[in-house]
Amino acid sequence: MPQTLMRAQHLPSSPTRNWLIGTLFGILLLFALGALRMLELPGVYMDHVNPDYLAAETLNPTIDNPIWAVPTAYFPVIGAPYHGTQTLYVSTLFAKVFGFGVTTLRLGYVLFGLSALMVFMFLVRAMTQNQPWLTTLVPALLATDIAFSASFRTQYYIVLSGSVWFLLSVLFLFRDRLARINTNIFFSGFFAGLAIYGYFVYVFFVPGLLLIACLLALHKTRWHTLLIWGAGLMLGLFPYLLGFVFLVIKLGGLSDSLAWLASYTRAVHPLSSELSWLEALAHAMSKAVSALSNQGNEILIFGNPLTSLGIFSMGFILMLSASSFAWLSWKCIRSSDVSLLIRLASYAALPVSYLLSASLLGARLGGHHFIPLITVSYL
């Protein structure tokens, strides 16, 4: 079969393409209408603009602003040993164009939300095998979920910004192009690495992503694809390595850099939780509920949760997810289609992987560390 014909088979027809563009525009508009309303509320505080406040120093190097950042020889690549600076450079670009202000910051954050929704829609389309009503309904529900949009107005934003890369990682696992399976697997690993660079908590998804990659490798009888996924992951994590190289250069040697990292680690004491494993798992599930029901954002904005509406909304979404899981399980039992098994495993593997992995850190994790589960809950 000629290559042009093979490529044409993967391109949507003109009516389908027009429908996709229209649907995407409608979903992004739904999100924008909520995200841009009263854009300057509720104001900002340090963790809400970390590391974005470095934009002021980046654009005005002579100012003497207090900063809390990783020393760097050239330019900021890591905002802390556990997250990168991708939001900083978006904020710097917006500040350069629009000037400094709360509105400028929020516009940059809204861009991450719009990008995540766009990828999410195409992921839903791939996972549901081009079902139009699901491709429309599920992203629309996420776009109007206050727990999603409000997260770009609190410190949840820096965690959720990595969801763009995470969703791309999952999308490449579900791209139905056998001839390009190695390329897809590589880019899945690459975007998983970028997600972890965005914020470390996305490493909690890695066991689930590896399980899906294993099922793909088994299905396609290409086990070396796992090595390709790992190579992509390492490349995606390269900004972390670059940031630490810049740290070594700035501090003048490896020993001083390790001493700085040891001091930083002692200050945040990530492994200090004394909870038992079951207690830690219960804590993780409690914080996940706080994030998915928007109570975490309400506490940060108002000082306490306002209503129980978010709990009911979260319960409704999880009920839909459980129904989809049961329906796919039934189809797997009656069908020998391995692709269904892979999709079924992904439904269970991603949230289970996250919660079990996160429980290892016990009480050291807060509600904002669990906001990445919001996109998974709609899958």
Side-chain angles (χ1 to χ4, degrees):
M1 182 181 295
Q3 286 294 109
T4 54
L5 182 56
M6 289 181 66
R7 285 195 296 268
Q9 289 182 339
H10 297 297
L11 294 174
S13 63
S14 182
T16 301
R17 186 162 55 248
N18 292 339
W19 171 82
L20 280 174
I21 294 172
T23 301
L24 178 61
F25 177 79
I27 289 168
L28 297 184
L29 180 61
L30 271 177
F31 173 75
L33 287 174
L36 298 177
R37 186 171 182 270
M38 300 181 180
L39 197 56
E40 293 197 355
L41 296 179
V44 296
Y45 54 96
M46 182 179 177
D47 275 350
H48 180 208
V49 288
N50 180 24
D52 301 57
Y53 60 79
L54 295 176
E57 187 180 73
T58 301
L59 295 177
N60 303 280
T62 59
I63 65 174
D64 185 23
N65 270 0
I67 61 172
W68 184 31
V70 177
T72 179
Y74 303 107
F75 52 87
V77 181
I78 49 177
Y82 51 87
H83 68 76
T85 54
Q86 59 177 2
T87 58
L88 162 63
Y89 290 105
V90 173
S91 294
T92 301
L93 175 61
F94 275 76
K96 181 71 173 177
V97 175
F98 301 109
F100 289 94
V102 177
T103 298
T104 299
L105 284 168
R106 294 275 159 72
L107 287 174
Y109 303 162
V110 168
L111 180 63
F112 280 102
L114 292 171
S115 301
L117 275 171
M118 181 170 62
V119 179
F120 182 77
M121 192 192 92
F122 285 100
L123 174 57
V124 172
R125 180 171 178 260
M127 292 186 70
T128 60
Q129 298 180 333
N130 306 325
Q131 294 291 330
W133 69 277
L134 286 174
T135 304
T136 303
L137 176 62
V138 178
L141 288 172
L142 178 61
T144 53
D145 190 332
I146 188 65
F148 180 72
S149 59
S151 293
F152 294 100
R153 301 197 180 209
T154 67
Q155 69 189 71
Y156 282 50
Y157 88 99
I158 190 173
V159 184
L160 197 52
S161 64
S163 65
V164 179
W165 311 122
F166 164 69
L167 292 170
L168 278 170
S169 175
V170 182
L171 176 59
F172 271 90
L173 283 178
F174 284 92
R175 294 186 74 196
D176 190 22
R177 297 189 179 186
L178 180 58
R180 298 183 180 180
I181 184 172
N182 288 342
T183 301
N184 293 338
I185 291 289
F186 175 83
F187 277 108
S188 173
F190 172 71
F191 287 121
L194 281 182
I196 297 168
Y197 166 69
Y199 208 89
F200 82 97
V201 293
Y202 287 91
V203 75
F204 299 152
F205 281 123
V206 167
L209 290 170
L210 275 175
L211 175 61
I212 300 171
C214 283
L215 290 171
L216 281 172
L218 178 65
H219 180 40
K220 308 299 183 183
T221 64
R222 296 183 181 185
W223 280 99
H224 67 279
T225 56
L226 297 181
L227 298 178
I228 296 172
W229 193 90
L233 178 70
M234 292 299 103
L235 183 61
L237 289 171
F238 177 76
Y240 262 134
L241 175 61
L242 184 64
F244 287 120
V245 169
F246 285 177
L247 171 67
V248 171
I249 296 173
K250 177 67 174 179
L251 297 185
L254 183 60
S255 59
D256 288 341
S257 301
L258 292 176
W260 184 91
L261 287 171
S263 175
Y264 190 99
T265 303
R266 284 194 297 272
V268 298
H269 44 88
L271 301 178
S272 61
S273 175
E274 297 181 355
L275 299 179
S276 68
W277 183 79
L278 285 178
E279 291 172 332
L281 183 59
H283 173 82
M285 296 180 70
S286 171
K287 292 302 180 182
V289 169
S290 174
L292 298 181
S293 65
N294 197 45
Q295 289 187 346
N297 283 319
E298 291 174 351
I299 291 171
L300 289 174
I301 295 172
F302 303 106
N304 57 299
L306 297 183
T307 68
S308 58
L309 181 62
I311 295 289
F312 289 110
S313 175
M314 181 199 68
F316 174 71
I317 296 302
L318 293 180
M319 182 181 67
L320 287 179
S321 296
S323 300
S324 299
F325 185 86
W327 177 70
L328 277 176
S329 299
W330 177 75
K331 291 199 72 174
C332 279
I333 293 172
R334 298 192 58 181
S335 170
S336 59
D337 186 355
V338 180
S339 65
L340 277 176
L341 176 61
I342 295 172
R343 280 191 290 153
L344 178 61
S346 74
Y347 275 100
L350 294 176
V352 170
S353 165
Y354 198 98
L355 289 170
L356 290 179
S357 300
S359 67
L360 297 176
L361 295 181
R364 290 299 301 130
L365 296 181
H368 61 293
H369 293 118
F370 292 87
I371 196 59
L373 288 171
I374 193 166
T375 54
V376 175
S377 68
Y378 279 90
L379 293 178

